[in-house]
Amino acid sequence: MRYAETGYNLEIDLTKGNIERVETDPKLMALYLGGLGTSVKIHYDRVPPETRAFDPENLLIFSTGLLCGTPAFSANRTLISFISPQTKLLAYPMMGGFWSAELKYAGYDKVIVRGKSPELIYIWIHNDEVEIRDASHLKGKGAIETQELIREELNDPNVQVLAIGLAGENKCFTASIEQSRSSSSRGGGGAVLGDKRIKAVAVRGTKSVNLAHGAQFIDHMKKVTEYINFRNENPIPEVMPILSGIGSPQMMKHVDEKWHTESFAWGNARKRRRDFWTKEVEDNWTKSQTDAITRFISCFNCPQQCGALISHDDVPNYMMKCFSKLTYAMAAYVDDLDFTWRICKRAFEYGLDSFSTPQILAFAVELYDAGILTDEHFKGCPRDNEGRFFWLLDRVARREGIGDILADGTYWAARRIGNGAEAFDHNTTKKHEQMNIKLGMLDPLYYLMYATNEKISITQIEGNWPQAAFPTKEMRESFAADWPQLPNENFKQYFIDWEPRGENSNPHYPTPQIASEIVDWMEMLHNIDDALGICCGMGSFCLKPPYHIHNYPQLISAATGMDVDKEALKKIVNRSRNLHRAFNNLRGMARPDEKPPQDHWKHRFPELEDDLLTHYYTFKGWNYDGVPTKETLEYLDLTWVAKDLEERGVLKDGQN
């Protein structure tokens, strides 16, 4: 009997029309756990470095996590991996909701899709019955609308459906995959579905997931429950409301947006409005948000309520979560939050990433204001900010006119447009739009996270470490006094010594060594979450979470029957991390690519940044070019990867 995992993947070849239920090697769980770990292994084994996003050989893997479908709170993430059309690297955006658990209950850990369908189809999975169905009647339908139409067609309201909208069908590089109350949004997964002619994947399962030591697992979860209840009753007092709780940032519950609106940049990540949050704005936004939200909702088996059902004027009801609430309004310089409720519904139906797309639209407006784009490009476009954004959104999703160029994202669009447009591509890392922050002093922690993490998106890299030094030593000592999630006691002193100004402040503190330790710890937690299928809002993303390095080994051991301690768990996820790094190294990623946006911080320090990168590479066991060394790979039982890198000329003998 297999524990936690089902032990089966569903393999679908769209070119041949083949469907196969394949038993997996049980040793893979011990080596990579599941989720991201085992998906990366499959990509490395089966996707050659020369494969491009829209090649038939590009695998599209829908993966559950090891703990999805178990009683573990918030183990509900579906991880979708593929070669990104935007970055040309391996992308793995995640979504919450119920789809992942339903796939586990249908008897599969992953759905692995290769090839291309000649016609638009959707995949229907019902336990052992799997069909490739015609979806011609769904062509052009919205991503949310498609889900409802398929449920009606299958006559089952409990079917879980992920789907693309028009943007995915048109292979827009920032097309998302929408599902119930969540979306898989970064890197262009919707475009890969569109290229393979997959409109949707529907799943319904009624099987069981087995635990090796069920009673022990529940005992561990009781302690997690106690801590969740405690944190819900005792938010962290030293930080802004958005960071004080657990779960994905509670932006639908909190109406105080002073921090976001005044600290983050507006437009195409160009300008901060430091005096934006007036009493009048606060009152207007509070009323708008309160009126729009019908009720709060959760993902599968989650005690938190991070999403909200939106009902605004004549806009059909839909679900909203997290930062989408602000991205379009801030990008468009629209001060009325009602604009958000209107445009997000349309964007979600199109299936477009709410982090990248608003920046792309603002990028187009800036090019027009600068005279790089002309009246001919904007022919028929309204002149008001709201109207321009709706008009541009439609053009991007349909790939019409200038929208056909913008649909490739700011990096590629800037180079196609030329004539100085490249200067307006100032907020991308590895050709991918970043969070629209524009700050003063370089932060060594965020420099390393932006530069080196394979996720690329900073919103899924940051985590358990506070975002800035606390003003007083007393506050820092109070915060550090009760911090059991830390990997070791040294971190408490690192935090207490970190000051907002002076010698122990950014950019020279945390030091390169301390910064490397902190970033490695936060990165490790994300890799654990992504292997287990845990929402990072309950683990790697938030301050003082219920899941951490000290209780994860207990949960994994009880669920799987493996004997996993902290050191073993660290080695497993480090193995996955280095395999992922090697995969992207084979695709050409190297040190020159590892740099945050140039004007992300006003004050930059090239020599310090170079030292940070070198120090971090050394700490990770990588060479100067950011490639894992032979010694590192051998320690992680990846000798075969070292040999592959050497044979392909990526790793040379004696290179350090």
Side-chain angles (χ1 to χ4, degrees):
M1 181 180 289
R2 303 286 280 272
Y3 297 110
E5 63 177 1
T6 70
Y8 290 92
N9 291 338
L10 184 62
E11 297 260 5
I12 300 176
D13 188 326
L14 293 175
T15 302
K16 298 179 180 179
N18 288 348
I19 300 171
E20 188 177 3
R21 182 173 179 257
V22 178
E23 186 173 5
T24 58
D25 185 347
K27 294 179 181 177
L28 290 175
M29 182 172 67
L31 289 170
Y32 304 100
L33 294 181
L36 176 63
T38 44
S39 288
V40 168
K41 177 66 165 61
I42 294 168
H43 282 287
Y44 196 103
D45 288 346
R46 294 168 54 178
V47 181
E50 60 272 12
T51 303
R52 296 296 176 250
F54 298 144
D55 290 345
E57 296 78 16
N58 186 14
L59 291 184
L60 180 65
I61 303 180
F62 305 88
S63 181
T64 68
L66 183 62
L67 295 185
C68 289
T70 75
F73 289 141
S74 308
N76 52 45
R77 262 33 202 174
T78 302
L79 188 142
I80 304 176
S81 52
F82 50 88
I83 301 301
S84 166
Q86 193 173 19
T87 68
K88 315 303 180 187
L89 304 173
L90 183 64
Y92 57 107
M94 287 158 287
M95 62 186 182
F98 290 74
W99 198 93
S100 178
E102 203 71 34
L103 184 67
K104 263 291 186 63
Y105 297 149
Y108 308 100
D109 297 311
K110 301 180 192 289
V111 178
I112 304 172
V113 181
R114 60 186 179 274
K116 296 186 182 185
S117 169
E119 306 294 339
L120 192 67
I121 58 94
Y122 78 87
I123 298 168
W124 167 224
I125 304 165
H126 185 202
N127 295 333
D128 297 334
E129 300 177 9
V130 184
E131 301 176 46
I132 299 174
R133 291 191 164 201
D134 173 65
S136 58
H137 59 300
L138 300 172
K139 182 177 176 59
K141 300 294 185 183
I144 303 172
E145 178 187 15
T146 294
Q147 297 171 49
E148 293 305 318
L149 290 172
I150 289 177
R151 289 191 185 99
E152 291 175 9
E153 184 174 312
L154 297 172
N155 194 30
D156 187 344
N158 294 316
V159 170
Q160 299 304 316
V161 186
L162 60 81
I164 59 172
L166 193 60
E169 291 183 39
N170 289 330
K171 296 191 283 189
C172 300
F173 283 13
T174 62
S176 60
I177 303 165
E178 302 293 323
Q179 183 263 317
S180 181
R181 51 198 64 191
S182 191
S183 65
S184 175
S185 299
R186 306 297 269 157
V192 178
L193 261 77
D195 178 66
K196 293 186 180 297
R197 309 300 305 280
I198 303 171
K199 181 65 175 179
V201 183
V203 61
R204 185 78 170 96
T206 57
K207 298 182 181 182
S208 299
V209 175
N210 301 304
L211 297 176
H213 307 293
Q216 189 180 71
F217 188 89
I218 295 300
D219 284 342
H220 291 314
M221 283 307 303
K222 287 179 180 177
K223 296 177 183 177
V224 172
T225 304
E226 289 173 3
Y227 184 82
I228 291 173
N229 292 337
F230 169 79
R231 278 298 310 277
N232 284 337
E233 295 170 4
N234 298 275
I236 298 174
E238 297 94 345
V239 298
M240 61 285 296
I242 199 67
L243 299 177
S244 64
I246 53 176
S248 293
Q250 304 290 314
M251 294 187 65
M252 305 315 299
K253 288 191 174 182
H254 290 297
V255 295
D256 182 356
E257 291 295 353
K258 177 179 176 62
W259 182 61
H260 277 134
T261 58
E262 295 189 348
S263 298
F264 287 19
W266 292 59
N268 177 30
R270 277 293 188 190
K271 181 181 178 182
R272 289 172 65 183
R273 300 172 70 182
R274 297 173 186 270
D275 57 352
F276 173 76
W277 194 252
T278 63
K279 183 64 168 62
E280 181 182 3
V281 169
E282 181 178 11
D283 291 344
N284 289 340
W285 282 35
T286 298
K287 184 178 188 308
S288 177
Q289 184 167 325
T290 303
D291 290 348
I293 293 176
T294 302
R295 62 185 175 92
F296 297 106
I297 50 180
S298 306
C299 294
F300 172 82
N301 196 27
C302 182
Q304 304 304 98
Q305 295 178 311
C306 303
L309 187 64
I310 302 299
S311 177
H312 178 74
D313 291 345
D314 58 348
V315 177
N317 291 1
Y318 68 100
M319 198 286 293
M320 178 178 283
K321 180 180 179 181
C322 203
F323 204 59
S324 300
K325 184 180 89 173
L326 298 182
T327 53
Y328 283 96
M330 290 179 68
Y333 281 92
V334 173
D335 298 351
D336 183 358
L337 199 58
D338 286 1
F339 169 66
T340 285
W341 317 126
R342 293 194 302 273
I343 197 167
C344 279
K345 169 63 175 179
R346 187 178 300 190
F348 295 170
E349 286 287 13
Y350 280 145
L352 281 166
D353 176 356
S354 292
F355 280 82
S356 289
T357 306
Q359 287 189 48
I360 295 166
L361 307 186
F363 163 76
V365 171
E366 287 184 2
L367 294 186
Y368 178 75
D369 291 341
I372 297 172
L373 293 180
T374 66
D375 287 337
E376 187 62 28
H377 294 109
F378 275 67
K379 189 175 181 179
C381 178
R383 296 301 178 185
D384 65 291
N385 289 357
E386 291 191 22
R388 287 197 297 191
F389 258 57
F390 273 107
W391 186 87
L392 285 166
L393 183 71
D394 292 343
R395 298 304 173 282
V396 167
R398 298 169 185 168
R399 277 195 177 270
E400 294 178 352
I402 189 59
D404 184 44
I405 297 175
L406 297 174
D408 289 348
T410 47
Y411 177 89
W412 298 108
R415 280 142 189 84
R416 286 181 64 185
I417 294 168
N419 194 30
E422 295 89 342
F424 292 82
D425 165 36
H426 59 92
N427 199 47
T428 57
T429 301
K430 297 170 187 169
K431 308 175 182 64
H432 187 272
E433 290 80 12
Q434 286 294 352
M435 179 65 79
N436 51 331
I437 301 174
K438 190 180 180 70
L439 303 174
M441 185 60 68
L442 175 81
D443 182 330
L445 299 176
Y446 279 80
Y447 175 84
L448 288 175
M449 288 190 287
Y450 270 110
T452 64
N453 197 280
E454 310 304 337
K455 277 190 174 179
I456 302 176
S457 173
I458 192 66
T459 57
Q460 294 182 347
I461 301 168
E462 61 182 337
N464 290 180
W465 193 261
Q467 295 181 348
F470 288 4
T472 69
K473 186 175 182 179
E474 290 73 22
M475 291 177 65
R476 298 193 293 273
E477 289 176 336
S478 174
F479 184 87
D482 181 24
W483 204 353
Q485 294 85 354
L486 290 175
N488 60 63
E489 287 296 304
N490 293 342
F491 280 56
K492 288 187 178 181
Q493 197 60 50
Y494 296 162
F495 180 71
I496 292 170
D497 290 344
W498 188 26
E499 300 174 344
R501 55 189 57 83
E503 292 184 1
N504 274 13
S505 66
N506 296 345
H508 300 292
Y509 192 94
T511 65
Q513 173 63 29
I514 294 174
S516 295
E517 292 180 34
I518 295 171
V519 170
D520 178 70
W521 163 57
M522 290 198 289
E523 176 187 277
M524 174 190 67
L525 293 172
H526 278 282
N527 276 272
I528 295 172
D529 283 351
D530 298 345
L532 302 182
I534 298 285
C535 171
C536 64
M538 299 289 270
S540 53
F541 184 80
C542 67
L543 300 176
K544 300 185 177 182
Y547 293 122
H548 46 78
I549 189 60
H550 303 296
N551 62 11
Y552 267 146
Q554 299 169 348
L555 289 164
I556 294 169
S557 297
T560 65
M562 297 191 299
D563 185 13
V564 179
D565 59 18
K566 283 187 284 188
E567 293 308 312
L569 179 55
K570 290 176 183 177
K571 187 171 183 178
I572 291 170
V573 296
N574 200 20
R575 178 182 297 121
S576 301
R577 171 74 168 98
N578 278 270
L579 185 63
H580 194 164
R581 162 70 44 158
F583 181 86
N584 281 339
N585 289 146
L586 286 173
R587 301 188 63 79
M589 189 189 75
R591 189 184 186 103
D593 301 302
E594 308 243 80
K595 52 186 179 182
Q598 184 55 42
D599 67 349
H600 192 82
W601 296 282
K602 183 177 180 180
H603 301 290
R604 299 294 293 264
F605 302 85
E607 291 185 6
L608 173 60
E609 293 170 22
D610 190 62
D611 184 43
L612 278 165
L613 204 55
T614 299
H615 202 107
Y616 187 69
Y617 283 179
T618 303
F619 182 88
K620 297 291 289 185
W622 302 341
N623 65 22
Y624 182 81
D625 291 326
V627 181
T629 64
K630 184 176 181 179
E631 292 75 16
T632 296
L633 294 170
E634 288 177 343
Y635 166 73
L636 295 170
D637 309 307
L638 296 173
T639 302
W640 54 278
V641 175
K643 183 179 179 181
D644 190 26
L645 294 175
E646 289 175 335
E647 289 178 350
R648 294 177 183 271
V650 175
L651 186 61
K652 300 176 177 61
D653 285 338
Q655 190 178 33
N656 55 42

